[in-house]
Coordinates of all heavy atoms in Angstrom, one line a residue:
S124 N 12.2 -5.0 -7.8 CA 11.2 -4.5 -8.7 C 9.8 -4.4 -8.1 O 8.9 -3.7 -8.8 CB 11.2 -5.1 -10.1 OG 12.6 -5.0 -10.6
S125 N 9.5 -5.2 -7.1 CA 8.1 -5.0 -6.6 C 8.1 -5.4 -5.0 O 9.0 -6.0 -4.6 CB 7.2 -6.0 -7.3 OG 7.5 -7.4 -6.9
G126 N 7.0 -5.0 -4.4 CA 7.0 -5.2 -3.0 C 6.9 -6.8 -2.7 O 7.4 -7.2 -1.8
T127 N 6.2 -7.4 -3.6 CA 6.2 -8.9 -3.5 C 7.6 -9.6 -3.5 O 7.9 -10.3 -2.7 CB 5.3 -9.6 -4.8 OG1 4.1 -9.0 -4.7 CG2 5.5 -11.0 -4.8
E128 N 8.4 -9.1 -4.4 CA 9.8 -9.6 -4.6 C 10.5 -9.2 -3.3 O 11.3 -10.0 -2.8 CB 10.4 -8.9 -5.8 CG 11.4 -9.8 -6.5 CD 12.0 -8.9 -7.6 OE1 11.4 -8.0 -8.1 OE2 13.3 -9.1 -7.9
M130 N 9.4 -8.8 -0.3 CA 8.9 -9.7 0.8 C 9.3 -11.2 0.7 O 9.8 -11.8 1.7 CB 7.3 -9.5 1.0 CG 7.0 -8.2 1.6 SD 7.8 -7.8 3.3 CE 7.3 -9.1 4.2
Y153 N -1.2 -7.7 4.2 CA -0.9 -8.0 2.9 C 0.7 -7.9 2.6 O 1.2 -6.8 3.0 CB -1.7 -7.3 1.8 CG -1.4 -7.7 0.4 CD1 -1.6 -9.0 -0.1 CD2 -0.8 -6.9 -0.6 CE1 -1.4 -9.4 -1.4 CE2 -0.5 -7.1 -1.8 CZ -0.7 -8.5 -2.2 OH -0.5 -8.8 -3.5
H154 N 1.3 -8.9 2.2 CA 2.7 -8.8 1.9 C 3.0 -9.2 0.5 O 4.2 -9.8 0.3 CB 3.4 -9.6 3.0 CG 3.2 -9.2 4.3 ND1 3.5 -8.0 4.9 CD2 2.5 -9.9 5.2 CE1 3.1 -8.1 6.0 NE2 2.6 -9.3 6.4
G155 N 2.2 -8.9 -0.5 CA 2.4 -9.3 -1.8 C 1.9 -10.9 -2.0 O 1.3 -11.3 -1.1
H156 N 2.2 -11.3 -3.2 CA 1.6 -12.6 -3.6 C 2.6 -13.7 -3.5 O 2.3 -14.8 -4.2 CB 0.7 -12.6 -4.8 CG 1.5 -12.1 -6.0 ND1 2.1 -13.1 -6.9 CD2 1.8 -11.0 -6.5 CE1 2.6 -12.5 -7.9 NE2 2.6 -11.2 -7.6
E208 N 2.8 -5.4 8.9 CA 2.6 -4.0 8.4 C 2.5 -3.1 9.7 O 1.6 -3.2 10.5 CB 1.3 -3.9 7.7 CG 1.3 -4.3 6.2 CD 0.0 -4.2 5.6 OE1 -0.3 -2.9 5.1 OE2 -0.9 -4.9 5.4
N213 N -4.0 -2.7 4.4 CA -4.6 -3.5 3.4 C -5.8 -4.2 3.8 O -6.3 -5.3 3.3 CB -3.6 -4.6 2.8 CG -2.5 -3.8 2.0 OD1 -2.9 -3.5 0.8 ND2 -1.4 -3.7 2.4
D241 N 7.1 -4.6 7.1 CA 6.7 -4.4 5.6 C 6.2 -2.9 5.6 O 5.0 -2.6 5.9 CB 5.6 -5.3 5.3 CG 5.2 -5.1 3.8 OD1 5.5 -4.2 3.3 OD2 4.5 -6.1 3.3
V243 N 6.0 -1.3 2.8 CA 5.7 -0.9 1.4 C 4.8 0.3 1.2 O 5.0 1.1 0.4 CB 5.3 -2.2 0.7 CG1 4.8 -1.8 -0.8 CG2 6.5 -3.2 0.5
I244 N 3.8 0.3 2.1 CA 3.0 1.6 2.1 C 3.5 2.7 3.1 O 3.5 3.9 2.8 CB 1.5 1.2 2.5 CG1 0.8 0.5 1.2 CG2 0.6 2.5 3.0 CD1 -0.6 0.2 1.5
K269 N 6.3 1.1 -3.5 CA 5.5 2.1 -3.7 C 6.1 3.5 -3.7 O 6.8 3.8 -4.7 CB 4.1 2.1 -2.9 CG 3.5 0.7 -3.0 CD 2.1 0.5 -2.5 CE 1.5 -0.7 -3.0 NZ 1.2 -1.7 -2.0
Ligands
LIG1 C1 1.4 -3.3 -2.2 C2 2.0 -4.0 -1.1 C3 2.8 -5.1 -1.3 C4 3.1 -5.8 -2.6 O1 3.8 -4.8 -3.4 P1 3.7 -5.1 -5.0 O2 4.7 -4.1 -5.6 O3 2.2 -4.9 -5.4 O4 4.1 -6.4 -5.3 C5 3.5 -5.8 -0.1 N1 3.2 -5.2 1.0 C6 2.4 -4.2 1.4 C7 2.1 -3.7 2.7 C8 1.8 -3.6 0.3 O5 0.9 -2.7 0.5

Side-chain angles (χ1 to χ4, degrees):
S124 301
S125 72
T127 295
E128 211 185 329
M130 289 306 300
Y153 180 64
H154 303 294
H156 61 92
E208 281 185 79
N213 285 286
D241 180 348
V243 170
I244 282 185
K269 297 189 170 119

